[in-house]
Amino acid sequence: LGHMNSSVSLAIHRERAKNFDPVALEKICVYLSCTQTTVASRFGNFFDRLLDLCMSDIQEIFTTKSDNASSVGTTASSVQVRSKAMKVLADLCELDDGSLGLAQDPKVRACFDACIQDTSVSVREAAVDLISRFSSRSQELAMDYFDLIVHACGDPGTSVQKQAVKTLWETCAIPATFGRRIEAAASTAIRVSAMEDSVKVRTVKILRNFWFLTPRSLAEESLTEHFCETVWTIFEEQKRSRVSKNGLIVPFTRDHPVVHMLECIFNASTLDCSGQMKMNATEKASTLKSGRAFCRQLVDSVLHAEASALSEEEKSERILKYMVSLHALLVAEPKLCAGGNNQHYYIECLMPHLLYNQCNAGETHADGPPAKDVKRPNAEKLTCVLSIISSNILVIDVLGEQVCSTLTQNLQKLIASHDYLSVVAKACELLCRICSFSSATSEFIMKLTSSILDRLEEHISANQGQRSSTFLRRRLFVLGHLWRNYASSMESNPTSFQPILMRTIDAMISLLVEHNEKGETVVKSTTHNSISIEALRALGMVIYGHSKTALMEKVIQVYEVCLKTDAEPSLQVCALRGLTEMIKKEESTMLEKQQAQLKQQSKGSKHRASNSLDAVCGEGEVSIAGSVLRYFWEKSILPLALHVRGLEDNHHLGVPGLVELNSPLKLASMEIFDSVLRQGLVAPWTAVPSLVALCAFPNDMVHQQACRILRTYILEKRVDFFESKLIDAVAALQEQALLCGIRMGQDAAPDPNLMMSGIGKLYAMLRDRKQTRVAFLRSLLRSFTTKGIDLRKLEVSAMILIGLPYTLLEEPLQVVHSCISTVDQEATYVESNLELMQGCAEDIKAGRPVPIDLGAVGKKAGCLTLLLEVKNILRKAFNVTDNQLANYSERQKATRAMKVKGQQVNLQDFSGVTTSETSHAWIAQCKEFKKALKREGMREGARERERPSPVQKSEEVQEPVVPKRRKLFG
């Protein structure tokens, strides 16, 4: 035992793990079985040392060189110490038969909490491995460490993620007696989309084999119920965490985590299911067959629940659970509802659910739940039914006229009367899909469109005002969704298509804009804002269905007006989202064409030979979305992304109100940035300044999106684009931070802690790219040496330099060294002008002009004062010594691998400088800088060298003797 204590102590001091004696570990259990308290206390001492060693993320290593102590830091070997200590702890816990109680020890739990967040992958892997051993012993331990296992499933390390997912599924999700098994399965399923590729492939195979390929005779429970409970848990959690309490979670979109998981299981997506994820033909056929049987079983479960003797509330919840699961399956792979003798089996079984009585849904008893709580589940069920029927129509060849007629009548009632617009939108989509089987339904849609346009034109001509705004908005909503889903079918009949298209565009433009006295196009003042928003959305849906509409001059004028910085924020957001939808539609259309071409080429060599390559770059390629986007990119979208609203009339907003007012516009800008950069529609370097600046916006969602887009499309592909725009990026960053401060009615910069949250994440992405990181710091420091000095912008740069999350000692050394060099170079200018000011003191007091630019000198003094404050704060926080500065200036490599050790810098202690435009303020700023120099003891040697040698008054100054030139000739 004494040998163990000495080994741990030696490992701590020497910074490396010794070979712990396994025999000594076994003897510990024997010692503890005795009643000797001294042995137990000595073991406690050893155990505490071991836990401290596991959590020693930052250790102090002191070395002495001659008379000066060198830096305080850590090296990479401390990672080996922590990982080895975790393995020793694992061996010790493995020997524990339960008598030691190490698994339940709060100290061990605290150690795991720390190690699971360690910066080293090996330490986190060792911690997860030990947690997995504990969890496999008993379900009680698995329950205790459940949250840590779920947290580790999202770890960036592949090995950590793999072990955590395996433990979560095998130990928690599969055992039928585990209390949180459904939650474990849901946590696994929802994280599939974010997993590393190899872990993702393994997890998808596990889920596929468990849910769909396990023989029913071997299953210990109903796999259908297990799957439905898993999807329902995810669905319920999203309902609890959503921001808006009025909307619906369903229908699921293709980017939903559950849908993405099911696409991978059935290989429904060609892009996401390539490589190791791709199944061979036999496996895919077997999986599809099992999936079809699974979906049939869900429909049968719905029918059995309807005929059961359960209460209405229980029956409704169970049916909705089955509907949500079936909806997710068919959104991921519509082929699952194909096959069999009856092609419209799902339509026939679920059509009765479309007979929804809107009046009865709102009736509630005195002791029952509110009407709103009753309507929402019914609307969610109805949306799922519409989505399921729509998926069934996609894969069938024939649909009887009687079925089409019944569906059309039911959908007509839903469109006309249902309260939830999500149901109305899904009903419009299904109605347009029926048109491919029924000409009568096509005629009905044309009549419905003409009828809505007649009502809109009557409203505009009669100038009815706001009395019918609710009905008007509903008509615009329905009209937009009809155009979104039926425009391609309308194009087949050009005689009726073009007049209806022009009537639709004219009606929407009439509700949106008007011409003022100068002939300029402006937003229509007499139209209510809600109607303008709905009209703009409808116009965007028309463009979505018929993209050539976006090239019309009057449509472009509408978007120009709505994308101005002084337009209503809701109109700006709506216009940006309309452009984003157009870009995504073109992207999906292009991908579908490429997949069709690949399938055609794979059928035989004849098709490959017939497809010749384009001889000219871009030949045959027309991108309407790209043309429209490039027109608005630098003119409207980039300025709008950096615009901060909440000016003179809203000084009372403060930070929360400012963030709430501007966040929707920033998030809409991030959406269009993502789509544009993903498709390469514009030069990617043009987006760098705006994305860097948005990292300073005080909203987590905004700067997380900005950092993600920068990392995905710029840093990981062309980091030179980022470096080439750093000067513009820093200028935009300063401007964005000041805009937030000005809108809050402050004279100084905004709250630094809010600003630094996103900038810290940006800097963390640059940490492993040394050249880019150095260039970023250099660009921040370069702003202090430019000619046009803006002290408020420089305060922002100073706060950023102070608050960055430095990890290597080289980073604050670079900043401190640059600050000292700049002050040494620029201080002479301020000192010399300060001496001249003393001779002009009387003129300055009298307000007479002086031959000195007091503003320029005062700004330079304030600039250098900020640099001195940055230097002092960083040196104190990170214990930067003179010896380290000398080593850095000599470019020694010893300091570069050392981690910094220091406390978190409190940005509230940053004082900055006082800005004022008066002459006395500039002179005071110069004097303050001179005092700061004197306190620092800087430039004393430089002054001695610059000061002329004293000359005695009695001595005369002799002229220098010039030697005579020697004559070369004669």
Side-chain angles (χ1 to χ4, degrees), residues 261-380:
M261 174 200 66
L262 294 172
E263 282 183 340
C264 295
I265 287 177
F266 294 103
N267 276 193
S269 174
T270 307
L271 297 177
D272 297 331
C273 303
S274 57
Q276 297 180 354
M277 188 75 70
K278 187 176 181 180
M279 296 186 292
N280 56 40
T282 305
E283 291 175 339
K284 187 169 185 178
S286 176
T287 306
L288 283 175
K289 182 179 179 181
S290 301
R292 291 191 183 102
F294 196 91
C295 292
R296 281 292 184 107
Q297 189 173 355
L298 286 176
V299 176
D300 295 340
S301 299
V302 171
L303 299 178
H304 286 311
E306 290 176 350
S308 64
L310 297 174
S311 63
E312 290 298 325
E313 185 177 354
E314 293 177 348
K315 186 185 300 185
S316 176
E317 182 178 348
R318 179 168 295 187
I319 291 174
L320 179 58
K321 180 175 64 176
Y322 295 139
M323 290 288 190
V324 169
S325 302
L326 184 60
H327 159 62
L329 283 165
L330 297 185
V331 169
E333 181 54 278
K335 294 179 182 178
L336 294 177
C337 60
N341 298 327
N342 188 359
Q343 290 190 353
H344 17 85
Y345 174 76
Y346 292 85
I347 299 176
E348 293 176 354
C349 293
L350 301 180
M351 192 183 298
H353 291 276
L354 296 179
L355 301 174
Y356 172 70
N357 192 340
Q358 181 75 14
C359 298
N360 293 338
E363 296 178 0
T364 56
H365 301 286
D367 55 347
K372 189 176 182 180
D373 296 337
V374 175
K375 285 185 177 182
R376 183 178 289 115
N378 288 324
E380 291 169 344

Side-chain angles (χ1 to χ4, degrees), residues 71 809-821 871-872 874-875 879-892 895 938:
S71 61
L809 185 60
E810 181 187 18
E811 302 167 29
L813 276 177
Q814 177 189 350
V815 177
V816 173
H817 183 267
S818 299
C819 291
I820 294 174
S821 300
K871 175 188 75 72
N872 293 332
L874 290 181
R875 289 196 66 172
N879 301 320
V880 178
T881 63
D882 295 335
N883 188 25
Q884 291 170 348
L885 286 172
N887 291 338
Y888 179 80
S889 63
E890 295 173 4
R891 301 185 182 278
Q892 291 187 0
T895 61
M938 298 177 61

Side-chain angles (χ1 to χ4, degrees), residues 41 45 154 185 234 265 281 363 366 463 511 608 710 716 736 916:
S41 62
N45 185 22
I234 299 173
I265 287 177
E363 296 178 0
N463 195 15
L511 291 171
R608 298 192 193 98
L710 272 173
E716 293 181 354
Q736 182 71 13
S916 179

